[in-house]
Amino acid sequence: MSATAEELKVRASAQSLLKGSSAPVKRSWGQYVRWILLFAGGVLMVMPLAYMMSTSFKYSFEVYNLNLIPEEPTLENYEYVLRDGRFMQWFVNSLIVATLTTISSVLFDSLVGYTLCKFRFRGRYIVFIAILSTLMIPTEMLVIPWYLMAQQFGWLDTTWGIMFPGLMTAFGVFLMKQFFETVPDDFIEAARIDGLNELQIWWIVAMPLVKPALAALAIFVFLGNWTAFIWPLIVTNSQEMYTLPVGLTTFSVEQAVEWELVMTGAAISVLPTLVVFLIFQRFIIRGVVMAGLKG
Amino acid sequence: MSFYEKLSVRQKQTVWAWGFLAIPIIFYVVVRFYPTVNAIILSFQEWNLLGARTWAGFDNYITLYHDPVFWQVFRNTFVYLLIGTPLSLVLAFIIAYHLDRVRFLHGTIRALYFLPFMTSAVAMAWVWRWFYQPVPIGLFNNMLATFGISQIAFLNSTTNALPAVLAPAIWAGLGFQIIIFMAGLRAIPKTYYEAAHIDGVSGWTIMSEITLPLLKPTIVFLVVFSSIGFLRIFDHVFNMTTNNPGGPLNSTKPLVLMIYDTAFNSFDMGYAAAQTVVLFVILLIVSLLQLRLLQDR
């Protein structure tokens, strides 16, 4: 079982994305104009983020100022939001939910992907198709039955209630199965002869060989759960159980919105992902391409 | 253990395989398949979450057919789809095409376009909502004011609100589409272009005869992927119109928001389930149609 031509092409293009352009580039005036327009467009793209950050450091009387650099920068908003306590609670809730679902998804998705790829047994094709078919079902169709389940089992308004639908993802199974195809069967056979049991082979031999795919999957699952909105909104009803996105929504309760505080909240909820992105940029873009073109 | 020892190598493998799959299979049956069936059954029932579930036949679907709000919502949902998908794809393609030809600070510019994709829809909906406020709060209206242009009611107007909600949704997804387009462009063998240059083929012909046809798998993927995204739009709408979700006068309400309202504000579970089934069918038809249309040509 080797990689198909299509997969090799995808992988090659993912690699080349990280290097310079492949297209021949002539030095000309047109080239400068192109660069300036693209750069201006890029700056425009991050403007909302820049204004969010800038406003989080402004006093309320300066919110209406169009300047990006605050005249009197202050940390007052951050102090206020952090001292409020609720916000820290939401942050922690989001962190717990996103971390635990990521660990669970990565472990189970890779275990299932590995099993469906490396074991020969009757019914494996049916299991694979059945799991893949769940990708066609929109979450919105499931939230009502999930709510009823959560209600029945007393999971409403609990961390477990927020987490249970996200413990595994069909997309992850698909992705991992594709990547385990690249692990030679000989390695597994050799490990078997050395006397390792199947669980050890998966964990010690196969898993380290697909680390890049595991990391890409982990980033996607974490990001997905960190920003998830509709299900946490439905399953939680007390403020202490909210996740960050749900908590942010409550800023609108009063007619008069305190924009500098909202922007501080938004900044805190976005900052971790931005930091992760700036550190692991190459890696994430490669993951997007591989995941995107295979999905 | 002795039972296990007696098994053949192949049988042992089968035991291991099903052992590994046991928990995941339970998960998929309980958390994916059973709820799907339950949603479909519920769509033929009447239930307010407290009393008993009673059979209602096709009542929910008939009510839906005669509900003027549903048709408004249906229209909105397709406006999101029919403006959002083509607009975002054309923009993404133009940017990707040119970005592919830029060497200087290539990575930095790419990061600028990609950053919004990493942010949460809820946080960004709030930033945009702030931009759209009237003077003296909102950024856009403040800018207009400095140029002496009259104010625009972005979110409070039945005609402006939907485009105003759609814009940040397009903005947020652009980075992903650009990256995928660039990967698609890089996958086209350079030799094709070299051959075209030797033959003296013009730029536009290269685009229509080489680049676009070879990019078809990428285009198909992105059309289906972003269509599904726009048909399921919720986070942006909900957070930009929280005082009156889907307003003003339902002019921005998409199907998912109607489902949420019906189920968790009106507690009309059967009716909401029928709406989810409709959403499911629309998603299915749209993606099958697009796959067929784009792949045959």
Side-chain angles (χ1 to χ4, degrees):
Chain A
M1 283 286 219
S2 64
T4 64
E6 185 64 26
E7 277 171 30
L8 289 175
K9 224 165 71 184
V10 167
R11 229 159 269 179
S13 67
Q15 291 301 335
S16 76
L17 252 192
L18 306 174
K19 300 188 203 100
S21 167
S22 59
V25 179
K26 276 177 288 182
R27 235 173 234 284
S28 67
W29 283 110
Q31 183 64 12
Y32 291 115
V33 173
R34 169 182 284 153
W35 191 88
I36 290 167
L37 285 178
L38 275 176
F39 187 75
V43 170
L44 220 57
M45 282 292 281
V46 292
M47 264 309 162
L49 296 169
Y51 269 104
M52 174 193 72
M53 289 307 298
S54 132
T55 307
S56 71
F57 293 110
K58 284 178 178 176
Y59 286 107
S60 59
F61 60 80
E62 222 197 312
V63 167
Y64 321 123
N65 195 337
L66 297 185
N67 292 342
L68 264 181
I69 307 209
E71 268 161 38
E72 292 175 49
T74 173
L75 287 173
E76 206 181 52
N77 301 320
Y78 284 90
E79 274 175 44
Y80 181 87
V81 165
L82 297 180
R83 207 178 309 129
D84 187 6
R86 281 182 312 170
F87 204 88
M88 281 313 284
Q89 180 74 56
W90 301 336
F91 193 94
V92 171
N93 291 346
S94 279
L95 202 62
I96 293 173
V97 168
T99 308
L100 292 182
T101 48
T102 301
I103 293 170
S104 163
S105 295
V106 169
L107 282 181
F108 281 113
D109 290 354
S110 59
L111 185 60
V112 174
Y114 174 79
T115 309
L116 293 176
C117 176
K118 294 298 180 200
F119 286 81
R120 304 275 168 273
F121 59 97
R122 204 178 296 166
R124 79 180 180 132
Y125 188 67
I126 295 167
V127 172
F128 182 55
I129 294 298
I131 291 177
L132 266 197
S133 72
T134 63
L135 280 174
M136 311 237 293
I137 305 162
T139 327
E140 293 78 16
M141 191 169 173
L142 303 176
V143 288
I144 297 170
W146 286 345
Y147 184 82
L148 306 179
M149 269 170 78
Q151 194 187 38
Q152 222 157 19
F153 298 125
W155 298 342
L156 286 184
D157 213 24
T158 62
T159 311
W160 171 252
I162 305 171
M163 282 191 329
F164 80 86
L167 292 175
M168 296 173 209
T169 66
F171 171 70
V173 170
F174 177 68
L175 191 72
M176 292 318 298
K177 182 178 177 289
Q178 296 288 313
F179 274 93
F180 279 118
E181 305 276 4
T182 63
V183 175
D185 286 345
D186 301 348
F187 284 25
I188 291 160
E189 213 45 62
R192 220 165 259 155
I193 291 163
D194 286 349
L196 294 184
N197 71 37
E198 301 297 334
L199 197 63
Q200 288 170 321
I201 298 173
W202 166 68
W203 186 250
I204 299 168
V205 179
M207 285 291 260
L209 293 172
V210 292
K211 259 187 201 156
L214 292 174
L217 178 62
I219 288 165
F220 282 115
V221 177
F222 189 89
L223 205 62
N225 283 288
W226 182 263
T227 59
F229 182 59
I230 187 164
W231 175 243
L233 176 73
I234 290 168
V235 76
T236 58
N237 48 42
S238 60
Q239 289 220 348
E240 310 87 75
M241 292 315 301
Y242 286 171
T243 57
L244 258 183
V246 182
L248 272 181
T249 304
T250 62
F251 279 121
S252 75
V253 178
E254 309 87 32
Q255 278 296 314
V257 179
E258 290 172 90
W259 290 103
E260 71 283 3
L261 293 181
V262 178
M263 291 308 120
T264 310
I268 295 176
S269 80
V270 164
L271 224 50
T273 53
L274 294 190
V275 170
V276 168
F277 173 69
L278 291 175
I279 297 172
F280 299 105
Q281 204 202 123
R282 298 174 149 254
F283 202 61
I284 289 170
I285 285 178
R286 189 163 46 191
V288 166
V289 173
M290 293 201 171
L293 290 192
K294 281 170 179 216
Chain B
M1 212 53 197
S2 63
F3 164 75
Y4 176 78
E5 299 298 337
K6 270 181 231 152
L7 295 175
S8 70
V9 175
R10 210 183 155 78
Q11 284 168 325
K12 277 180 189 167
Q13 282 221 14
T14 308
V15 171
W16 276 103
W18 289 109
F20 285 171
L21 292 177
I23 296 174
I25 285 175
I26 293 170
F27 174 84
Y28 280 99
V29 169
V30 174
V31 182
R32 295 282 187 271
F33 292 110
Y34 166 72
T36 308
V37 176
N38 199 4
I40 294 169
I41 292 174
L42 192 55
S43 76
F44 294 103
Q45 291 176 327
E46 209 69 68
W47 193 35
N48 65 2
L49 209 55
L50 294 172
R53 290 165 74 150
T54 52
W55 289 99
F58 282 92
D59 276 6
N60 289 322
Y61 292 95
I62 295 166
T63 315
L64 201 58
Y65 184 78
H66 293 292
D67 188 343
V69 175
F70 170 71
W71 290 108
Q72 168 78 44
V73 162
F74 192 83
R75 223 200 87 221
N76 294 343
T77 309
F78 274 89
V79 172
Y80 284 121
L81 169 76
L82 295 176
I83 299 178
T85 306
L87 195 63
S88 64
L89 286 185
V90 168
L91 271 175
F93 178 75
I94 293 172
I95 295 167
Y97 181 81
H98 291 288
L99 194 50
D100 188 41
R101 282 163 170 67
V102 160
R103 294 251 171 88
F104 182 59
L105 288 181
H106 173 87
T108 311
I109 299 182
R110 193 184 55 200
L112 292 178
Y113 282 99
F114 190 75
L115 270 176
F117 178 68
M118 301 289 291
T119 59
S120 94
V122 175
M124 288 308 112
W126 276 92
V127 176
W128 282 75
R129 187 176 165 176
W130 166 46
F131 285 0
Y132 286 141
Q133 295 302 305
V135 271
I137 304 170
L139 189 83
F140 290 157
N141 275 322
N142 269 334
M143 281 179 179
L144 291 177
T146 53
F147 293 111
I149 303 169
S150 62
Q151 301 296 292
I152 297 174
F154 287 103
L155 293 171
N156 294 325
S157 137
T158 48
T159 46
N160 295 346
L162 193 144
V165 170
L166 184 58
I170 293 175
W171 167 77
L174 215 52
F176 174 78
Q177 295 171 341
I178 290 171
I179 295 292
I180 301 293
F181 265 133
M182 280 177 56
L185 286 169
R186 295 280 165 90
I188 299 173
K190 238 194 292 185
T191 48
Y192 290 13
Y193 291 116
E194 284 163 5
H197 277 298
I198 291 166
D199 291 349
V201 180
S202 73
W204 183 246
T205 316
I206 292 177
M207 174 66 75
S208 64
E209 299 291 325
I210 300 176
T211 311
L212 288 177
L214 286 172
L215 215 52
K216 209 169 70 176
T218 311
I219 297 172
V220 171
F221 167 72
L222 280 178
V223 168
V224 173
F225 189 88
S226 55
S227 297
I228 292 173
F230 284 114
L231 284 170
R232 294 175 54 193
I233 191 167
F234 175 77
D235 300 11
H236 283 100
V237 190
F238 188 88
N239 282 285
M240 292 181 74
T241 59
T242 25
N243 299 327
N244 171 21
L249 294 174
N250 293 327
S251 61
T252 58
K253 191 182 261 183
L255 192 46
V256 176
L257 186 48
M258 188 184 185
I259 292 168
Y260 174 81
D261 270 345
T262 315
F264 300 103
N265 289 326
S266 313
F267 299 106
D268 201 344
M269 292 303 183
Y271 193 32
Q275 290 162 17
T276 65
V277 172
V278 169
L279 175 72
F280 173 57
V281 172
I282 292 174
L283 288 175
L284 207 61
I285 291 173
V286 168
S287 27
L288 290 178
L289 211 67
Q290 286 171 340
L291 283 175
R292 175 57 63 85
L293 278 176
L294 282 156
Q295 266 171 349
D296 277 358
R297 207 176 300 155

